[in-house]
Amino acid sequence: TDNFDFSRYHTIDEIYSFQDMLVAENPNMVSKIVIGRSYQGRPLNVLKFSTGGTNRPAIWIDTGIHSREWVTQASGTWFAKKIVTDYGRDPALTAILNKMDIFLEIVTNPDGFYYTHTSNRMWRKTRKPNPGSNCVGVDPNRNWDAGFGGPGASSSPCSETYRGPRANSESEVKSIVDFVKSHGNIKAFVSIHSYSQMLLYPYGYTRNPAKDQTELHALAKKAITDLASLYGTRYRYGSIISTIYQASGGTIDWTYDQGIKYSYTFELRDTGRHGFILPANQIIPTARETWLALMAIMDHTFKNPY
Amino acid sequence: KKTFEGDQVLRIIPKDEVELSLVKDLEDMIEFELDFWKDAADVDTPVHIRVPFHGLQSTKMYLESQGIDYSIMIEDLQAMLDEEQEEMDSAARVADPRN
């Protein structure tokens, strides 16, 4: 993976190969878990970074649940390499990995991602057909069992925010739900999107504040301050409903309600000129600055066990 | 392969609650087939909307009739996608063949 070009966008097959190479190069730290299959049968790969032990407390990171947000999958690939490179060199990451595991799902919506490369660059949803409709796919970030079906999600299969027929109807979502429940010891959950430059915490489906709001807010401030220290990129932060809009059935609302206190979602860099077509030369700067915020969240999780 | 010739991405910054509400109304006008890249969230917060070529005139007429200012963030989406594809192709050509 030293020769992998992190400064350009890659197809799903290239990312799958990268994952296998990383595992082969780091057999004592990295393993690949297939937590399920997408609707079209693609593996839902999760990289596990672990230095030993069983069922250690863990941190979950996923990228690319909305397929067209290419900078997220590209950043996830960079994070994977960063973790193996920095272990043993960066004291903070080393301390975390000596006590905790990190799970990283780089392509959370593989059917959609493949579709963006082959058929429709602007595709966001999954690729499961909807009976009775010509429109395909479900917004996997409206499909979680957290205020499912409430305001801020669409009941129309043709909408970009279609919630699906029922919570967890999408295997891409259900597979994570099953994994999180069966693991039972995940302490932080970070879901990464692009592009609005925001760091958000629960809730999206209700105006009720999360019971840990004060701590989550302070940690978000620390994370975006660290992020901005590299290139000055400015982020907004707060709860989903107060910072963007009401959204029901979202990922981190469900994880928070499962008891995962440090639940956050990112919206990565926005040049204000290109939208989802972020130039490839922005990938590494985006990944580098985001890593600083991720480290702030992971370090806080490590130092504040619960 | 779906192409986006002539599609534009418009940027709108709602000045007040009335404009915000009018922009949100666009989300319900399904005949325009708009794709909200960045939703209408708040006053003074940019909204980005991909407008298919066939809906450009109607959408712009709606905005202008309501007195809502907009700018064109992406003039021709397909041109930008072509550039992205060319960049990927050229990067693949120069990549180490062992990759």
Side-chain angles (χ1 to χ4, degrees):
Chain A
T1 56
D2 288 342
N3 291 328
F4 190 85
D5 186 356
F6 294 93
S7 66
R8 71 175 178 92
Y9 291 115
H10 292 271
T11 64
I12 191 163
D13 287 338
E14 290 169 340
I15 294 177
Y16 280 153
S17 296
F18 166 82
Q19 292 173 336
D20 290 337
M21 277 192 286
L22 197 72
V23 171
E25 291 167 358
N26 304 276
N28 296 324
M29 188 199 290
V30 191
S31 55
K32 184 178 81 176
I33 304 170
V34 181
I35 62 169
R37 297 265 162 189
S38 66
Y39 169 74
Q40 294 176 332
R42 293 185 174 84
L44 299 171
N45 292 341
V46 174
L47 293 178
K48 178 182 179 182
F49 300 84
S50 179
T51 58
T54 55
N55 198 234
R56 285 179 166 181
I59 293 159
W60 170 281
I61 303 166
D62 66 77
T63 50
I65 199 169
H66 288 149
S67 48
R68 65 191 181 184
E69 298 168 3
W70 279 10
V71 76
T72 63
Q73 294 93 343
S75 295
T77 311
W78 188 92
F79 299 152
K81 181 67 174 174
K82 180 72 171 167
I83 293 169
V84 299
T85 306
D86 277 10
Y87 179 72
R89 296 181 186 176
D90 174 25
L93 180 71
T94 304
I96 293 167
L97 273 172
N98 282 341
K99 298 285 185 189
M100 305 181 78
D101 295 338
I102 299 174
F103 293 100
L104 174 61
E105 185 174 9
I106 296 175
V107 189
T108 309
N109 176 5
D111 295 349
F113 188 60
Y114 178 81
Y115 200 68
T116 63
H117 277 272
T118 54
S119 299
N120 181 348
R121 174 67 180 87
M122 289 299 111
W123 194 257
R124 162 188 167 106
K125 300 189 284 184
T126 63
R127 288 298 302 164
K128 191 161 82 174
N130 293 304
S133 172
N134 289 329
C135 296
V136 172
V138 166
D139 180 347
N141 196 32
R142 299 291 187 281
N143 191 238
W144 300 72
D145 192 9
F148 178 82
S154 176
S155 58
S156 166
C158 296
S159 166
E160 293 290 345
T161 55
Y162 176 49
R163 68 190 182 219
R166 63 186 181 283
N168 301 336
S169 62
E170 304 307 286
S171 62
E172 294 82 355
V173 171
K174 179 69 161 53
S175 298
I176 300 175
V177 167
D178 291 345
F179 179 79
V180 168
K181 284 183 172 176
S182 67
H183 186 281
N185 203 16
I186 292 177
K187 299 298 184 185
F189 192 108
V190 184
S191 188
I192 302 184
H193 295 239
S194 74
Y195 66 96
S196 299
Q197 291 180 197
M198 290 186 283
L199 177 55
L200 306 167
Y201 51 79
Y203 284 106
Y205 74 88
T206 174
R207 293 205 174 275
N208 294 337
K211 67 179 187 301
D212 303 295
Q213 174 151 316
T214 305
E215 183 181 1
L216 292 173
H217 195 78
L219 177 54
K221 183 178 183 182
K222 162 83 167 93
I224 64 112
T225 303
D226 288 2
L227 183 154
S229 68
L230 197 56
Y231 304 111
T233 309
R234 296 182 65 178
Y235 268 51
R236 289 188 291 143
Y237 63 102
S239 71
I240 296 169
I241 197 167
S242 68
T243 310
I244 355 175
Y245 42 67
Q246 189 165 21
S248 60
T251 311
I252 63 163
D253 284 357
W254 180 80
T255 59
Y256 187 77
D257 283 345
Q258 292 297 301
I260 303 175
K261 178 159 69 167
Y262 301 113
S263 289
Y264 285 98
T265 186
F266 271 97
E267 293 281 354
L268 300 187
R269 190 181 272 222
D270 168 21
T271 64
R273 294 175 56 201
H274 301 91
F276 296 114
I277 322 299
L278 196 69
N281 64 14
Q282 298 278 311
I283 295 171
I284 291 177
T286 303
R288 288 185 67 199
E289 68 186 9
T290 307
W291 178 252
L292 298 180
L294 279 177
M295 277 300 298
I297 295 169
M298 293 196 292
D299 189 55
H300 184 90
T301 305
F302 168 65
K303 290 174 176 167
N304 294 273
Y306 64 93
Chain B
K1 187 166 190 172
K2 183 170 172 55
T3 56
F4 300 87
E5 279 94 0
D7 287 15
Q8 293 187 343
V9 179
L10 305 184
R11 181 205 302 268
I12 302 164
I13 303 179
K15 286 199 293 276
D16 51 35
E17 291 293 338
V18 175
E19 282 202 0
L20 182 67
S21 173
L22 289 166
V23 174
K24 281 183 173 172
D25 287 346
L26 275 170
E27 295 181 34
D28 298 324
M29 298 180 185
I30 52 175
E31 67 275 17
F32 288 2
E33 295 182 34
L34 305 179
D35 176 9
F36 277 72
W37 282 13
K38 198 182 270 193
D39 293 82
D42 220 338
V43 171
D44 291 331
T45 302
V47 182
H48 296 167
I49 311 170
R50 179 179 64 79
V51 186
F53 178 69
H54 65 77
L56 270 177
Q57 195 174 10
S58 316
T59 305
K60 288 179 177 177
M61 275 176 60
Y62 171 83
L63 294 171
E64 286 161 13
S65 67
Q66 303 292 346
I68 300 172
D69 290 336
Y70 64 88
S71 59
I72 299 171
M73 185 172 105
I74 297 176
E75 183 80 32
D76 181 345
L77 182 59
Q78 189 57 44
M80 192 173 279
L81 294 178
D82 290 344
E83 280 177 34
E84 183 182 66
Q85 188 62 48
E86 172 56 30
E87 192 176 352
M88 285 188 73
D89 291 345
S90 69
R93 280 196 297 273
V94 301
D96 184 331
R98 287 172 299 174
N99 286 345

